[in-house]
Amino acid sequence: MSWNGASEEEATAAIESQSYDDLEGQCWATGSMESGIKGILKYLQEQGIDTSDINPDDLHSDVFGPKEATETVAQTGTLAALGEKIKGVENPEALVVDTLSTIHDDWSRGNAKKFFQREKKHQHMPIELIGWKEAKADLLFLKPILEGAGVEVSDEQLQLSYYDRVKAFQDAHNAHTTEEIASAIQGGAEFYPALEGQTEITDFMATPEGAATVAQQIAENGIGGDTGYQAYLAVKAEQGGE
């Protein structure tokens, strides 16, 4: 529905009549959904939550269906078990935002060729710099997993959690103004590890002109142009949070 403009009826008919590979060729969702699974498990493990009882093959089957084509999807209950672990974290919205970052990082690693093909070079920056509108686009791949796991999160709280992360990132890197962001960008893969090995991109960003180009796009179309974040900062200032 999102990629092809299909109605719900048309999408349902396609799902019921086409193979997984045919559907994947239309929406290219598998890679990002697998990144979502990886990101959730990574966050849980970083929070000290034991995931050793989550069988990766069973989890994969619950999300995508069995490895071998069958008439029905073999639900194992592993996705529901994962959901209980997610509900046990202190801040589920922070888990979701961190997982969105994992999805975005994997996209950045796998789509280096797009950097010079399009104007949207700022998309190849950390999730904290691309703005909430861009960051939340990957919810398209993550929400089906969360819904299957029985996890509900607040869109408003997600946005606030993203802004909390952005502010912490900018403070940590001293990257608040366009000039400061341009200076940070010149660090290449040290600044954004997902660029490791993408020497054409990092060489471009290492130049003052290249860094300024990307920083200006961030200022106009990324976090700098995110009016919600500007309002968030204003509230923080009023609360004495600066």
Side-chain angles (χ1 to χ4, degrees):
M1 290 169 66
S2 211
W3 288 113
N4 299 337
S7 66
E8 185 172 352
E9 292 76 15
E10 290 169 336
T12 300
I15 291 165
E16 291 175 345
S17 62
Q18 298 181 33
S19 71
Y20 184 95
D21 289 340
D22 287 339
L23 293 168
E24 171 62 9
Q26 299 173 54
C27 62
W28 312 282
T30 300
S32 290
M33 291 182 73
E34 288 177 337
S35 294
I37 294 170
K38 178 181 76 174
I40 291 171
L41 291 172
K42 175 179 74 70
Y43 185 90
L44 291 172
Q45 291 160 5
E46 289 173 349
Q47 297 300 305
I49 296 175
D50 182 18
T51 61
S52 61
D53 56 332
I54 300 293
N55 183 292
D57 287 340
D58 288 344
L59 182 57
H60 194 278
S61 289
D62 279 1
V63 174
F64 296 105
K67 289 183 176 179
E68 299 299 326
T70 60
E71 289 296 321
T72 59
V73 175
Q75 295 291 331
T76 65
T78 305
L79 185 55
L82 180 69
E84 291 305 310
K85 293 182 184 293
I86 295 172
K87 294 171 188 176
V89 303
E90 183 177 350
N91 188 342
E93 283 79 18
L95 175 148
V96 172
V97 173
D98 194 75
T99 302
L100 289 176
S101 180
T102 297
I103 295 172
H104 175 69
D105 290 349
D106 284 352
W107 178 89
S108 296
R109 290 186 183 95
N111 288 275
K113 64 182 181 181
K114 292 184 178 180
F115 183 83
F116 292 104
Q117 294 175 347
R118 307 183 304 169
E119 289 300 315
K120 300 178 179 180
K121 292 176 171 52
H122 68 289
Q123 290 183 338
H124 298 257
M125 285 282 92
I127 195 173
E128 293 87 355
L129 296 180
I130 64 177
W132 175 238
K133 180 179 179 181
E134 194 74 47
K136 72 177 181 180
D138 283 334
L139 281 171
L140 180 72
F141 307 109
L142 186 54
K143 272 197 170 181
I145 300 171
L146 296 174
E147 290 173 358
V151 174
E152 295 183 8
V153 290
S154 158
D155 288 345
E156 181 180 353
Q157 288 301 314
L158 271 182
Q159 188 171 3
L160 288 174
S161 184
Y162 171 73
Y163 289 155
D164 286 342
R165 185 182 177 108
V166 171
K167 188 175 186 307
F169 179 89
Q170 291 190 301
D171 289 346
H173 292 275
N174 190 28
H176 302 89
T177 68
T178 302
E179 292 75 18
E180 289 170 347
I181 290 172
S183 178
I185 285 171
Q186 289 185 273
E190 289 187 10
F191 172 66
Y192 185 33
L195 295 179
E196 184 70 42
Q198 300 182 35
T199 53
E200 285 189 73
I201 296 177
T202 54
D203 286 350
F204 175 84
M205 291 184 175
T207 66
E209 297 78 12
T213 295
V214 178
Q216 189 59 38
Q217 290 186 3
I218 291 169
E220 295 174 356
N221 304 307
I223 199 61
D226 189 330
T227 56
Y229 184 54
Q230 306 313 314
Y232 164 91
L233 291 177
V235 171
K236 284 288 185 183
E238 288 180 6
Q239 295 173 343
E242 289 293 324

